């Protein structure tokens, strides 16, 4: 197969490119990535000698470029997105442009060229806060952050393309993913790299929010299975059942790195913070998927990678990152002082 992977220089996209090249010696991959602050060619260094991966820097909103790349591919996998909830709270415009409009540009090109599979990489956040039980694919979408709303909007366009035009599209809704090459604004790489530097780990609110932690290889295996065996028109939850409170996550990282719990620093909460996500992945398991990493294994592998790969993350924690860090966290400290 020849795959177009948008967002392939990001965290999950680049791991997926490697997954495909490792598992399918005859497959080829075309990566389209804008290289935003979160896109990074270092993430693709490991596949550059394969001879089976080509890279185009560009925007999924660029209709002319998309029109050139879609003909001749067997499938489009749309990983490209603005992905950080806190940034969407500060300014959502890029989220609407990329996550919603950009998805429509890709869908329309895939429809025009009769692409045989379109896989939209979505998120458990589209279900919103889940106080009890677990979300099933037919539950209503109730997104609460601007990021989650933009991903839900994209999903509705994907469904409309299937229902109205018969474009064979599928949706995956993944849980919180961790592993190598994740930009250090997200909680786990941020906590790990701060801890390595002896810096505080900022814990939003009471730290009792719950997420289901999924190792990136397990997420990639699930997306690959949905691509090859999923039923068009369906959505598939991808959750490993590794539910933990954020405080447990931060404490696990400190323990793995031999750092003191005095580094935990409570700061003002994220506005509209979803306290819990939890997925029922029965539909995906029926296709033959099972996660290979429990919580401890996923955390150990992830933390060890950041410990060994300072070359990768050190240069990211400069410039724009520091400016964002100040905007996001100074405000949180100020709110905490005034409450
Ligand atoms: P990421 O932020 O690491 O990577 C996103 C990539 O998309 C970057 O390489 C960026 O340059 C690229 N991009 C952004 N705007 C673009 C545009 N307009 N045109 C082309 N490329 C563009 O994100 P990630 O964590 O790897 O997430 C990948 C996908 O998986 C996203 O769709 C996200 O919503 C979804 N997802 C992520 C998680 C998670 O925990 N990280 C969980 C479930 C679903
Ligand atoms: O659930 C899937 C989603 O997981 C993806 O769709 C998103 O793209 C991805 O960013 C992630 O969203 P979250 O908001 O859950 O992830 P984040 O790593 O930002 O935060 C995880 C939890 O940790 C969340 O409850 C907020 C909390 N947190 C986060 C940061 C950055 C903190 O307590 N302190 C922090 O500094």
């Amino acid at each position: 197969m020849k795959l177009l992977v948008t967002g392939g220089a990001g965290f999950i996209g680049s791991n997926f490119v490697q997954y495909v090249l490792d598992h399918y010696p005859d497959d080829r991959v075309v990566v389209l990535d804008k290289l935003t602050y979160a896109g990074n060619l270092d993430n693709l260094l490991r596949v550059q000698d394969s001879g089976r991966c080509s890279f185009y820097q560009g925007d999924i909103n660029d209709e002319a470029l998309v029109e050139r790349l879609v003909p001749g591919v067997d499938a489009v996998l749309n990983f490209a997105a603005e992905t950080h909830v806190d940034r969407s709270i500060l300014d959502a415009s890029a989220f609407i442009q990329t996550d919603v409009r950009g998805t429509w540009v890709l869908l329309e090109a895939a429809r025009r060229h009769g692409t045989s599979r379109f896989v939209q990489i979505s998120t458990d956040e589209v279900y919103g806060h889940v106080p009890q039980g677990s979300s099933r694919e037919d539950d209503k979408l109730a997104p609460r952050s601007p990021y989650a709303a933009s991903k839900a909007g994209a999903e509705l366009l994907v469904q409309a393309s299937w229902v109205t035009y018969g474009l064979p599209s599928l949706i995956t809704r993944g849980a919180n993913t961790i592993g190598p090459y994740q930009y250090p604004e997200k909680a786990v790489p941020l906590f790990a790299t701060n801890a390595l530097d002896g810096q505080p780990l900022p814990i939003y609110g009471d730290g009792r929010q719950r997420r289901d932690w999924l190792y990136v290889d397990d997420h990639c295996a699930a997306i690959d299975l949905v691509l090859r065996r999923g039923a068009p028109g369906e959505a598939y939850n991808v959750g490993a059942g590794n539910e933990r409170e954020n405080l447990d996550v931060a404490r696990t990282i400190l323990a793995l790195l031999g750092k003191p719990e005095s580094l935990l620093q409570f700061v003002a909460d994220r506005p509209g913070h979803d306290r819990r996500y939890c997925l029922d992945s029965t539909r995906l398991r029926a296709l033959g998927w099972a996660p290979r990493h429990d919580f401890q294994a996923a955390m150990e592998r992830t933390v060890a990678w950041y410990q060994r790969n300072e070359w990768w993350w050190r240069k990211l924690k400069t410039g724009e990152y520091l400016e964002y860090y100040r905007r996001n966290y100074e405000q949180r400290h100020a709110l905490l002082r005034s409450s």
Side-chain angles (χ1 to χ4, degrees), residues 63-238:
E63 293 172 32
L65 177 59
V66 168
E67 189 64 27
R68 263 179 47 215
L69 297 181
V70 167
V73 301
D74 301 298
V76 175
L77 294 110
N78 184 27
F79 292 81
E82 290 291 336
T83 59
H84 192 37
V85 173
D86 293 315
R87 289 187 191 249
S88 81
I89 293 168
L90 294 171
D91 180 1
S93 46
F95 290 73
I96 295 156
Q97 180 69 5
T98 288
D99 301 13
V100 184
R101 186 183 181 279
T103 300
W104 183 246
V105 170
L106 294 169
L107 286 166
E108 281 293 89
R111 171 166 80 89
R112 275 194 299 275
H113 294 286
T115 307
S116 31
R117 294 294 240 204
F118 187 103
V119 183
Q120 172 68 7
I121 314 307
S122 192
T123 168
D124 60 2
E125 303 211 2
V126 296
Y127 295 115
H129 165 58
V130 184
Q132 282 147 22
S134 47
S135 304
R136 301 187 68 125
E137 287 84 351
D138 297 331
D139 288 355
K140 79 172 163 62
L141 304 189
R144 289 157 33 99
S145 73
Y147 161 69
S150 72
K151 293 296 289 184
E155 280 204 24
L156 296 181
L157 294 173
V158 172
Q159 284 174 22
S161 289
W162 161 244
V163 172
T164 308
Y165 307 118
L167 177 71
S169 43
L170 306 100
I171 294 169
T172 59
R173 296 185 183 136
N176 277 69
T177 306
I178 54 174
Y181 303 100
Q182 185 170 32
Y183 192 77
E185 66 190 351
K186 307 286 166 41
V188 164
L190 185 148
F191 291 170
T193 55
N194 276 19
L196 283 165
D197 277 344
Q199 294 296 316
L201 279 54
I203 308 293
Y204 294 169
D206 62 5
R208 309 289 302 272
Q209 306 85 1
R210 303 179 77 88
R211 298 286 184 268
D212 176 0
W213 298 93
L214 173 66
Y215 193 65
V216 68
D217 289 355
D218 290 327
H219 196 163
C220 292
I223 293 167
D224 180 58
L225 191 62
V226 169
L227 164 69
R228 290 164 208 269
R229 305 251 311 274
E234 293 281 22
Y236 293 86
N237 288 340
V238 190

